[in-house]
Each structure stands twice: as C-alpha cells, then as structure tokens.
Amino acid sequence: MTITLSVIKADVGGYVGHSESHPDVLAKAEQCLAKAKGERLLIDYHVTKCGDDLQLIMTHQQGEDGERIHKLAWDTFVDCTQVARDLKLHGAGQDLLSDAFTGTVKGLGPGVAEMEFEERVAETILIFMADKTSAGAWNMPLYRIFADPFNTIGLVIAANMHTGFAFEVHDIKEHKKITFNAPEEIYDLLVFIGAPSRYMVKAVYHRETKEIAAVSSTQRLSLIAGRYVGKDDPVCVVRSQGQFPAVGEVLEPFTLPLLVEGWMRGSHHGPLMPVAIEDSTPTRFDGPPRVASLGFQLSGGKLVGPRDMFGDKSFDNARQQANDIADFLRRHGPFEPHRLPLEEMEYTTMPQVAKKLEGRFVDLD
Ligand code: F6R
Ligand code: MG
Ligand code: MG
C-alpha cells in the first residue's frame, strides 16, 4: 500500500509569549483534521505541538505536495489563527506569511516534511519536531544516524545497511541541490553540512533499495519573508528498523545537546535539549531550544501511537548537560559566540538598530 506521510507545522500564536501552544488551538486543529478524515481525504492524523508550534501529522494517498492536503493544512492554520486572535495569544498567525493559499504551503511560511513510500510489513516511523531553532538543526543528527558507525552499529554489522545511505543536500541560498554517497564521500559531505545555516540535509535514501529513509523541512522563514519573523522550528521524519537504523540508533545522536542557532530572539547559539512533548515549553531565555520525538507504527496508513520517545529516563543526562551548557553560554550575555555571528544577525532585528547609528561612524585617521 502506497502511503504519504505529511508533517506540516506552523506557529499560529504562542501561549504565554512564545513558550507553549494553547489547548483551544490544538482542539480546533483536531476538529479540522477529524472532518478531513471523515471525508476520507486523510487516512489518519495526529495533532500535537512542540513549544509554540502546531504540528499536523497526516497520512493519506494524495502524494507529496498534494494540493488538497496542503490546502487542508493551510485552512487549519487559518482557522487556528482565528482562535489565537480571539484569545489574543502572542504572535497570532505569525508563520502565515501570505494572505492567500497558492496551491502549496511551501514558501508561505509553514514547515513541511513529506515522504511517499510503500508501507512495509512493520513500518516504524519517528517524527522529530524542534522549537526555538533553525532548519539545518537536523544535519548533525542525520549524519550520525545514517553515516557514523560510532553511532549506528547497524552500518557495520547489519548486512542490509552495509552499502550505506545517500544524502540529498540543499544549498538554500543558491537554490541548488547535490547528492553525496556515504560512506565514500563523507569528507565531501561534511564540508557542506557542517555549515547548517546554508546547507541542509533534505532527504536520505537507502543506496541499495533506493527507499526514502528520512526527510526534513528546510524552509527558512527569514529568507521567505526577507526579515526576521520567528525561527523555522523545523521537523524531520525518519523511517526506522529493518533496512533502516533501529529506533535506538535513530535516537542516540540526541544524547548530545548539540549547539544550534535560535533561542532568544532567534539570535543565539544554544544546546538542543531532548524532551517529552509536555516539556517542550521553552521558558528560560525563551529556551533553551527543544527537540521532541513521537514514534508510530503504521498499519494501512493508520498511525498506531504515538509513543513519546524522549520521555525515557535515559535522556536525563542529556537534559542535565543541556542545562549546564545553557548556564555556561548565558554568562556570555550579548557576546559571540553565544550571540550569533554578524552574518546570521543580518536576518534578525539587529540591523534596524545598527542602521540608526550609521551616521555616527567617522573615518579612522
Ligand atoms: C525565538 C522567539 C522568541 C522571540 C522573543 C521576542 O524564536 O520566538 O525568543 O523572538 O520572545 O518576541 P516578540 O518580538 O514577538 O515580542
Ligand atoms: Mg512563536
Ligand atoms: Mg516556535
């Protein structure tokens, strides 16, 4: 059975500030998607949140970029924005950058990760959702999962993974893409994906079966809007088990609270803390950045689950480390490298302040 799994997300309003989603907004989304399931447009769905981001997880047979699915997501965000406006939530409709739907939500603000595949006998899916960070945050975890034998022992000892995986990398500034084969091209791959603000792993494929293994959202809000409107807060879908890395191999990279850009005003480096959904409530300095993960088994497109994967106690040390790193970084205040480098600050609110002071600069002798 060919299934499309679509994860489409947007920040349509925060509660309180940018720290959390309001239950009424989630309830409205639930209502919209239940109707679409009743009309058989969706096979199944799960509505959730990560911090102030509304997450629509949907299965259907409309294919990737299916106009009816994108319209459903857009209309759901519009309806939820109305709820957010009525409650005067903060930043209501923040990520909806267009007045009208234009056939796809891509380029209109929401983040999108979609994949179409033939459902396996047992189809294990892990969905990752981040808040207070940028698209590109998945580069290091995806590298570790699909190319690093120190993380994924299956690459070494499982015959069905030994040929490795192919990484599709997007240059989101130049609008170009390139594919690298791991393991033989990992040094070339790392030249680019080590710079995650520009080069992003869009998708990963099994090299022997050509099956899609992972897909991520690469929408950068600042590049779409041409100004700072909030962080991308990206999502990523990973297929697991069998010819793909096991659940534990997929989750293992998140034991490192890797440094990502985002946090307060989208202008700081901070540790990515793995948390259960209910703990995706970034409050300290509007952070630190969070990642949550829901696991499902698919059965004829039905989402059996979710399991809240980072609820497990084995991620306690990573959370502790993230808090320690947060303490350390915060002591740098407005200084780099806690604050982002100047080039990245171009996409924040700082240039407006700098512009005011332009005339005060005089030539050096
Ligand atoms: C970061 C984020 C917050 C806001 C900050 C100011 O992604 O969303 O840190 O940038 O709370 O928010 P505004 O400008 O909406 O008052
Ligand atoms: Mg927000
Ligand atoms: Mg957010």
Side-chain angles (χ1 to χ4, degrees):
M1 184 176 184
T2 307
I3 297 288
T4 307
L5 175 68
S6 300
V7 183
I8 306 186
K9 53 82 44 185
D11 177 347
V12 296
Y15 159 73
V16 170
H18 293 276
S19 69
E20 167 67 303
S21 302
H22 194 282
D24 290 2
V25 171
L26 296 176
K28 173 54 84 179
E30 183 80 33
Q31 214 180 55
C32 297
L33 297 198
K35 183 160 171 280
K37 186 177 171 182
E39 291 163 355
R40 300 191 182 280
L41 174 57
L42 295 182
I43 300 175
D44 205 359
Y45 70 89
H46 180 76
V47 171
T48 189
K49 62 103 190 179
C50 182
D52 58 3
D53 293 282
L54 173 59
Q55 309 280 350
L56 310 179
I57 299 168
M58 301 171 284
T59 54
H60 55 88
Q61 293 191 296
Q62 302 286 313
E64 293 167 23
D65 294 316
E67 183 166 343
R68 291 179 67 199
I69 300 299
H70 281 229
K71 173 129 180 42
L72 169 66
W74 181 260
D75 290 344
T76 302
F77 293 141
V78 169
D79 287 357
C80 290
T81 296
Q82 195 47 55
V83 175
R85 290 218 166 98
D86 293 345
L87 294 167
K88 294 187 75 175
L89 299 184
H90 187 66
Q94 176 182 294
D95 286 358
L96 306 188
L97 304 177
S98 165
D99 294 331
F101 178 71
T102 53
T104 171
V105 296
K106 287 184 181 161
L108 304 186
V112 186
E114 293 183 292
M115 55 162 74
E116 187 180 49
F117 50 84
E118 207 53 43
E119 187 181 284
R120 294 171 292 163
V121 175
E123 186 65 61
T124 305
I125 298 281
L126 293 167
I127 293 168
F128 294 94
M129 299 159 280
D131 190 32
K132 304 291 179 276
T133 187
S134 301
W138 310 120
N139 281 10
M140 193 202 281
L142 287 172
Y143 176 81
R144 287 235 158 97
I145 296 165
F146 292 105
D148 180 2
F150 278 71
N151 179 87
T152 300
I153 184 62
L155 297 169
V156 181
I157 64 172
N160 56 6
M161 258 189 273
H162 207 75
T163 35
F165 290 88
F167 287 70
E168 180 184 316
V169 175
H170 288 197
D171 173 347
I172 51 107
K173 290 207 173 131
E174 292 294 326
H175 279 279
K176 290 187 185 308
K177 64 179 177 181
I178 181 170
T179 298
F180 294 102
N181 284 326
E184 60 269 38
E185 294 184 308
I186 56 170
Y187 298 158
D188 296 329
L189 171 67
L190 287 167
V191 167
F192 298 99
I193 67 168
S197 59
R198 174 162 174 182
Y199 297 97
M200 296 168 195
V201 179
K202 178 67 195 174
V204 181
Y205 296 88
H206 192 287
R207 285 178 63 190
E208 213 173 308
T209 64
K210 313 290 179 214
E211 289 265 333
I212 180 108
V215 69
S216 77
S217 65
T218 47
Q219 284 75 25
R220 284 217 76 174
L221 273 171
S222 56
L223 295 185
I224 296 170
R227 66 191 154 87
Y228 181 70
V229 284
K231 263 323 196 202
D232 314 321
D233 301 340
V235 289
C236 180
V237 180
V238 179
R239 297 171 80 190
S240 175
Q241 303 293 151
Q243 59 172 299
F244 304 115
V247 165
E249 291 168 330
V250 176
L251 299 178
E252 182 67 10
F254 296 95
T255 57
L256 172 79
L258 61 137
L259 288 182
V260 293
E261 59 173 65
W263 209 347
M264 175 59 77
R265 298 181 185 274
S267 307
H268 295 79
H269 285 121
L272 187 63
M273 182 193 274
V275 290
I277 295 285
E278 66 168 334
D279 293 323
S280 65
T281 51
T283 44
R284 179 185 180 183
F285 199 56
D286 286 3
R290 306 293 155 110
V291 55
S293 172
L294 289 184
F296 296 93
Q297 293 293 143
L298 287 194
S299 173
K302 215 173 151 341
L303 289 157
V304 180
R307 282 223 53 235
D308 194 335
M309 306 311 285
F310 290 140
D312 191 71
K313 285 189 174 350
S314 57
F315 289 92
D316 285 352
N317 281 359
R319 290 188 267 272
Q320 185 57 55
Q321 266 180 32
N323 277 327
D324 291 342
I325 294 166
D327 279 340
F328 171 76
L329 285 173
R330 281 303 303 128
R331 291 174 66 187
H332 293 74
F335 283 78
E336 298 178 7
H338 182 29
R339 196 179 81 184
L340 296 187
L342 278 182
E343 198 199 335
E344 290 304 317
M345 294 299 286
E346 288 297 317
Y347 300 102
T348 70
T349 44
M350 196 175 83
Q352 296 159 29
V353 179
K355 201 165 174 29
K356 268 194 211 159
L357 301 170
E358 243 169 28
R360 303 253 309 266
F361 278 93
V362 291
D363 292 338
L364 292 173
D365 294 335

